[in-house]
Amino acid sequence: VAALKEEDKPRLFMEWGTKNTISEISSYGKGSSGNSVCSFAGGRNIAADLPEYPKLDSEWILKENPDVIIKSLAPGSGNAGWNSTDEAADILMSYIEGRPGWSNLNAVKNNRIHLISTEIAWGPDGIVGDAYYAKWLHPDLDIDPEKIYKEYLEWFMELTYPEGVVLGYPEK
């Protein structure tokens, strides 16, 4: 992705947090960790020129009309991810349905809206989150985030991979 021209990189909107409303949506701007991941993974952050952690309103996002949306969310109850793709799909669907007009966004119309667990998005296992971002921004990229996470856990952390746990949805 490093060789891509800027205009060939998909425009990405990244959201984080659980207390967002239509008029106050947390994102990642200039100098933030999310902005770095977006750039590293080959995307163009639509909020890159805004302060580090801007609060945006839905109208601004509708006007920007991103190609891809990634919602970063903590699964809760001490879980690393969600119990099934159905559970993750329900969360993602209610997220979109709760935002008037978002069904008209390019990212939604083209099924390029994703949910990622904060457990793998940042910190030591953030390389897995980076892989998900790269795969979602560039679907033809030959990268397997789940395989990377399994190797990371088993080889470096000497932990068992949590089979069946959904860390990023949809995977492709």
Side-chain angles (χ1 to χ4, degrees), residues 107-137:
V108 177
K109 289 192 286 189
N110 296 316
N111 295 313
R112 296 194 70 192
I113 177 163
H114 304 277
L115 184 65
I116 190 165
S117 167
T118 55
E119 294 299 313
I120 58 155
W122 320 108
D125 40 8
I127 187 68
V128 181
D130 296 347
Y132 272 106
Y133 271 73
K135 184 67 176 180
W136 291 334
L137 289 167

Side-chain angles (χ1 to χ4, degrees), residues 33-108:
S33 54
N35 192 54
S36 296
V37 169
C38 176
S39 178
F40 174 77
R44 285 185 292 158
N45 179 7
I46 65 170
D49 294 331
L50 300 176
E52 191 173 21
Y53 297 103
K55 302 285 188 194
L56 307 169
D57 66 29
S58 193
E59 287 300 317
W60 185 87
I61 297 155
L62 288 167
K63 200 166 27 172
E64 289 295 317
N65 196 14
D67 301 313
V68 180
I69 297 172
I70 299 176
K71 166 77 171 159
S72 180
L73 189 64
S77 302
N79 296 331
W82 297 278
N83 295 319
S84 68
T85 54
D86 288 343
E87 180 184 4
D90 289 346
I91 292 168
L92 206 50
M93 185 58 69
S94 64
Y95 168 65
I96 294 303
E97 289 174 349
R99 302 280 172 87
W102 279 41
S103 61
N104 297 316
L105 291 172
N106 287 340
V108 177

Side-chain angles (χ1 to χ4, degrees), residues 103-171:
S103 61
N104 297 316
L105 291 172
N106 287 340
V108 177
K109 289 192 286 189
N110 296 316
N111 295 313
R112 296 194 70 192
I113 177 163
H114 304 277
L115 184 65
I116 190 165
S117 167
T118 55
E119 294 299 313
I120 58 155
W122 320 108
D125 40 8
I127 187 68
V128 181
D130 296 347
Y132 272 106
Y133 271 73
K135 184 67 176 180
W136 291 334
L137 289 167
H138 305 283
D140 295 332
L141 191 63
D142 184 20
I143 191 167
D144 184 345
E146 192 172 341
K147 181 180 177 188
I148 291 169
Y149 193 46
K150 186 172 185 169
E151 289 176 3
Y152 166 77
L153 287 178
E154 292 175 356
W155 292 5
F156 298 102
M157 303 301 289
E158 297 182 358
L159 297 170
T160 303
Y161 178 77
E163 296 291 340
V165 172
V166 178
L167 301 165
Y169 179 83
E171 292 240 353

